Amino acid sequence: MSHPPARPPRRADARHNADKILDAAVACLSRNADASVSEIAQSAGVGRVTLYGHFPSREVLVEAALQRVLAEGEKVLESLDLTGDPRHALSVLIRSSWLLIAQSSAVLEAAQTALPPERVQQLHLKPAQRVDELIHRGQATGAFRVDLPPDWLTSVLHHVMHGAANDVAAGRLDRTDAPVFITETILAAYAPTGR
Amino acid sequence: MSHPPARPPRRADARHNADKILDAAVACLSRNADASVSEIAQSAGVGRVTLYGHFPSREVLVEAALQRVLAEGEKVLESLDLTGDPRHALSVLIRSSWLLIAQSSAVLEAAQTALPPERVQQLHLKPAQRVDELIHRGQATGAFRVDLPPDWLTSVLHHVMHGAANDVAAGRLDRTDAPVFITETILAAYAPTGR
């Protein structure tokens, strides 16, 4: 090291760096599931040595990023009442957390190539259940169409939210329009077929 | 060069290599818009020197990959009659070319960071027009909803097709189910709102 630090790093600095690295990891992995450790370090404004001091491998870093984004989503989702009319519950879910869910599913995509499948499943089980349950309940009560499988309905929700997040990032879609457009689109796509 | 070739490369070999490289570029860039030249060379099974012999820069390679995938799409699309009922025309469009369009839009995403915006617009103008015109005609004739902007309807189509292509690649969705599910979902999402 040609430039030794002026003072030894304090615990608060270390925590701050770990936070910055995780924020950068979530942002980079959302954009590109194959983002490298160097890209993430650069985006966080820290050196690779500092990054590896906190997260000894890409696998550990991806898992921590996934845990972080899922925990943030959980904080929002657990405050929502999703027990009423499934169409209303779905609107509430989208409006309150579309961007967080879009980020989570992008980081999840990255985790699927970086972590063992059981680990990903285990981490993602609870958040995924909330959406799965809502879709199943909607199909069971006739609020949502049943001519398409529930897994596909879940996928469509994620594809549209993820695509909209990219549109917003690229300046093609207004951030305040996004949740309204997503909700209107998904409610129509999920509506029972009575043509 | 430590291993000179046993014989000078013939024109047919060169053409074959260029084809392999372009196929690999389309596949790699569809999966990851930031795919590097090394990744593409590796996936094509050629060395970087061979790749650079055909495509002197990443920019040239990305442009050639975009032209290839758009030309393939064009070949399919120009054979379709999209002048009838917009809902029927949209079904025909999706069933015949969802995978090609999904690949094109992924490579287009890559091109948007690698090429000058005017160049991308110029290359993409004609294929994009076909979908745009269909959506505008559907809105004008009352076949499609008008409470959401046409650009968003186009985006939704691309997001769902692109997501479905990833689902198929990851083994989460059957390749033969995909066009049926996409069509049913998009027709419902585009239907005029009469609630």
Side-chain angles (χ1 to χ4, degrees), chain A residues 23-41:
Chain A
D23 282 345
V26 169
C28 292
L29 294 168
S30 304
R31 201 180 106 61
N32 169 18
D34 295 322
S36 68
V37 167
S38 309
E39 274 169 68
I40 295 169

Side-chain angles (χ1 to χ4, degrees), chain A residues 31-32 34 152 159 163 167 185, chain B residues 31-32 34 152 159 167 185:
Chain A
R31 201 180 106 61
N32 169 18
D34 295 322
W152 169 254
H159 298 331
D167 289 342
T185 302
Chain B
R31 203 180 106 60
N32 169 19
D34 295 322
W152 169 253
H159 298 332
D167 289 342
T185 303

Side-chain angles (χ1 to χ4, degrees), chain A residues 1 11 16 19 23 32 62 72 74 85-86 106 118 132-133 140 143 150 167 187 190:
Chain A
M1 296 276 153
R11 194 174 293 185
H16 176 62
D19 273 347
D23 282 345
N32 169 18
V62 170
E72 281 173 8
E74 204 45 35
D85 167 47
E118 320 79 58
D132 286 351
E133 273 171 21
D167 289 342
L187 285 181
Y190 281 15

Side-chain angles (χ1 to χ4, degrees), chain A residues 31-32 34 87 109 112 145 148-149 152 155-156 159-160 163-164 167 172-173 181-182 184-185 188-189 195, chain B residues 31-32 34 87 109 112 145 148-149 152 155-156 159-160 163-164 167 172-173 181-182 184-185 188-189 195:
Chain A
R31 201 180 106 61
N32 169 18
D34 295 322
R87 294 178 64 83
E109 193 72 33
Q112 263 149 1
R145 67 196 298 172
L148 292 173
W152 169 254
S155 291
V156 168
H159 298 331
V160 173
D167 289 342
R172 290 187 295 263
L173 175 63
F181 291 0
I182 298 168
E184 291 303 314
T185 302
R195 283 173 284 156
Chain B
R31 203 180 106 60
N32 169 19
D34 295 322
R87 295 178 63 84
E109 193 72 33
Q112 263 149 1
R145 67 196 297 172
L148 292 174
W152 169 253
S155 291
V156 168
H159 298 332
V160 173
D167 289 342
R172 289 188 295 264
L173 176 63
F181 291 0
I182 297 168
E184 290 303 313
T185 303
R195 282 172 284 161

Side-chain angles (χ1 to χ4, degrees), chain B residues 104-161:
Chain B
S104 306
S105 70
V107 177
L108 195 68
E109 193 72 33
Q112 263 149 1
T113 58
L115 305 182
E118 320 78 59
R119 185 70 188 126
V120 176
Q121 172 117 25
Q122 193 186 6
L123 287 169
H124 186 235
L125 202 62
K126 201 174 156 205
Q129 255 177 358
R130 221 182 286 261
V131 174
D132 286 351
E133 272 172 21
L134 176 55
I135 288 175
H136 279 99
R137 191 163 63 80
Q139 287 192 315
T141 58
F144 300 154
R145 67 196 297 172
V146 292
D147 62 324
L148 292 174
D151 286 355
W152 169 253
L153 296 187
T154 307
S155 291
V156 168
L157 178 64
H158 285 287
H159 298 332
V160 173
M161 291 194 299

